[in-house]
Amino acid sequence: MTLFLTVLINGCILGSVYALVALGLNTQYGVAHILNIAHGEFIILSAFITMTLYAGAGLHPLVALAVAGPIVFAISFVLHRTLYKRVKDMSANIGEFEGNAILVAFGIYFIVQNLMRDKWGSATSGYQFMAFPVRIGPADIAANNLFVLLWAVVICVVYYLFLMRTRTGKAIRAAAQDAGAAALLGVKINTIMALCFAIGGLLAAFAGVLISMKEPFTTVSGMNYTTIAFIVVVLGGLGNVKGAILGGFILGIVGYAVSTYDTGMMFAVFYLIVLVLLIVRPKGLLGR
Amino acid sequence: MAMLEVRNVNVSYGNVQALWDVSLDIEEGKIIALLGANGAGKSTLLNTMTGMLKPQVGTITFKGERIDNLPSDKIIEKGIAYLPEGGRLFPDMTIKENLELGAYPSKLWKTRKPDLERIYKMFPILGERKNQLSRTMSGGERQMLAMGRAMMSNPKMCFFDELSYGLSPVMAQEVFKIVKHLHAEGITVFLVEQNVHQTLEISDYAYVIENGRIVKEGEGHSLLDDDYIKQAYLGI
Ligand SMILES: Nc1ncnc2c1ncn2[C@@H]1O[C@H](COP(=O)(O)OP(=O)(O)OP(=O)(O)O)[C@@H](O)[C@H]1O
Ligand SMILES: [Mg+2]
């Protein structure tokens, strides 16, 4: 029973971060049609920004949400308005654009990663934050982990409400379903695409801030998060917001359960899940 | 001066020209029709009139103001609604959300609540099922929703692209009845159709387009008796 509870709580903690990471990638792909290989790099960049503010200036890690968030949002928006917009105008159709966009993202991946390595080296980094246990029933859970879970859930809920309730959120969902029809109703598609790419960056930044509070990271660990985001998105269904959140939690719980046995097996099991899913239900758990 | 005037418009997709020197008038308070076969250029003309495509040559004016250089949201705000071919609803959004998006331009968004109530009165079935996903509606109901969405912007003029396409004869008749009702409420109608007979019966004036050129025009009833129309479009 204790083991079950420990796995469930820790799995949800891991899953909440996965959900956040996947939500960002999903927004970028679902609306802007960019499969962003560089997603994880911006997560890591934000983790380093958080550490720098915390260790260097003594600022609470949450402050980094308001620093890394806008920085990555702005970088992403400008990247879309310049690079991706140009590539889109040069591509004959959306399929060709998707292919070209992956190449662009690869370029950005290498540039960002190497700039980070130049600045912060490749040693494992991290900092101590709320490093004490909290008793939940029979289980001991690290306080920083619970803090991360809380904030990840808050961010997911706020983003979900933004999509469901606001004018811009509805335009984003409409553009994801039928960009041409949305344009006919007066939605500025290029702006919405740039905005969605930037929101994906914002969510990556938030994920990076939270991740830095609970685990060590290196300038080269970005691809791990990108991979996880891909897996969650396949699990939940491309472009499906609820699916990304549900998929994140499922993968987190499964991942944590496997890692209590053997940490090395985690990714092997993840790939197995993807393989089975692609055969049995290629559109994802909630996809149609 | 007609409410909307298209003058000498040429439109191309890349190197392929789709519209050649197209001119037409839509008089206020009338039902004007545009008839033509598949690929004649009907939707291309509508997309040009709603700001989705820019003419290489020619002008479009609405109440005397140029609109051919305006973006779509500004054209909608001026009082022109567009019901595109196939309805183009958002399948994973509810009826209510689909309707709301009909009032997306910022000026219209502010009044969307009373506009929703107005549409629910016009189409009670939409109000009863406002939280149903549009993907789960029947073909006829979807066309109803598409009409409701177009009416959300409180338009003075509405373009309908092949409203009757894919509907049963009974349902098509129903849809034309609604168009006549909207017209009676004061909306100027531009009806783009392949359903020649039914369309000519309810329209005041009609244009015929072939290979991107207007080849014939005249009053609705007079075209019904026209030899060329009879032969080429009515199969009599
Ligand atoms: N996006 C596009 N790119 C290139 N050519 C196009 C495009 N859209 C339409 N065309 C071409 O322009 C011509 C007119 O097409 P349009 O869709 O306006 O015809 P239509 O009269 O609406 O036909 P239908 O009754 O089948 O809807 C056709 O030859 C079509 O192939
Ligand atoms: Mg057409």
Side-chain angles (χ1 to χ4, degrees), chain B residues 3-223:
Chain B
M3 193 178 200
L4 187 141
E5 299 184 346
V6 177
R7 286 291 171 271
N8 311 104
V9 162
N10 285 359
V11 175
S12 303
Y13 295 105
N15 298 327
V16 184
Q17 190 164 344
L19 294 180
W20 304 75
D21 199 31
V22 170
S23 297
L24 56 81
D25 282 352
I26 303 177
E27 301 271 356
E28 184 162 10
K30 299 267 160 69
I31 297 183
I32 308 294
L34 177 69
L35 303 167
N38 288 117
K42 304 183 296 295
S43 300
T44 302
L45 179 58
L46 285 181
N47 283 331
T48 311
M49 291 161 79
T50 50
M52 303 303 297
L53 295 168
K54 300 287 164 215
Q56 276 77 40
V57 180
T59 60
I60 302 171
T61 57
F62 182 66
K63 294 181 172 173
E65 276 179 82
R66 287 273 298 263
I67 57 165
D68 50 273
N69 43 18
L70 292 182
S72 297
D73 56 332
K74 295 294 169 236
I75 295 177
I76 297 167
E77 281 178 353
K78 284 196 180 300
I80 297 181
Y82 179 18
L83 200 163
E85 212 171 336
R88 300 290 286 271
L89 299 172
F90 303 105
D92 291 330
M93 295 177 99
T94 63
I95 290 177
K96 177 168 174 236
E97 288 173 327
N98 268 282
L99 289 174
E100 281 178 325
L101 284 162
Y104 179 76
S106 48
K107 272 188 201 159
L108 304 171
W109 189 256
K110 295 185 199 103
T111 58
R112 71 188 184 286
K113 293 221 167 87
D115 285 323
L116 271 176
E117 293 310 319
R118 186 171 50 80
I119 301 300
Y120 292 155
K121 270 209 196 88
M122 208 185 288
F123 303 104
I125 189 175
L126 298 181
E128 286 156 25
R129 308 217 204 143
K130 60 185 174 205
N131 294 320
Q132 187 179 334
L133 292 184
S134 78
R135 58 158 59 254
T136 60
M137 303 169 80
S138 76
E141 290 164 354
R142 272 182 219 182
Q143 205 61 292
M144 218 73 86
L145 175 54
M147 291 176 123
R149 189 174 71 180
M151 290 305 127
M152 275 294 287
S153 60
N154 234 323
K156 312 232 167 17
M157 178 180 281
C158 187
F159 305 157
F160 296 98
D161 196 354
E162 305 210 28
L163 259 186
S164 65
Y165 183 80
L167 297 180
S168 69
V170 175
M171 201 61 223
Q173 208 133 45
E174 197 58 36
V175 163
F176 277 112
K177 226 188 259 168
I178 297 173
V179 170
K180 278 212 286 209
H181 173 74
L182 295 174
H183 175 244
E185 302 252 288
I187 293 173
T188 303
V189 171
F190 187 45
L191 207 51
V192 173
E193 273 294 335
Q194 296 200 50
N195 188 336
V196 174
H197 194 90
Q198 255 175 325
T199 305
L200 285 178
E201 281 200 323
I202 67 167
S203 47
D204 297 297
Y205 200 84
Y207 296 84
V208 179
I209 185 169
E210 286 178 6
N211 299 319
R213 289 186 168 85
I214 302 285
V215 295
K216 199 150 198 85
E217 61 184 275
E219 304 207 331
H221 284 276
S222 73
L223 284 186

Side-chain angles (χ1 to χ4, degrees), chain A residues 101-124:
Chain A
I102 291 178
L103 295 181
V104 174
F106 246 117
I108 294 168
Y109 160 80
F110 282 120
I111 292 168
V112 175
Q113 185 178 98
N114 281 296
L115 285 175
M116 289 196 299
R117 197 143 39 159
D118 207 50
K119 175 133 180 56
W120 289 298
S122 44
T124 301

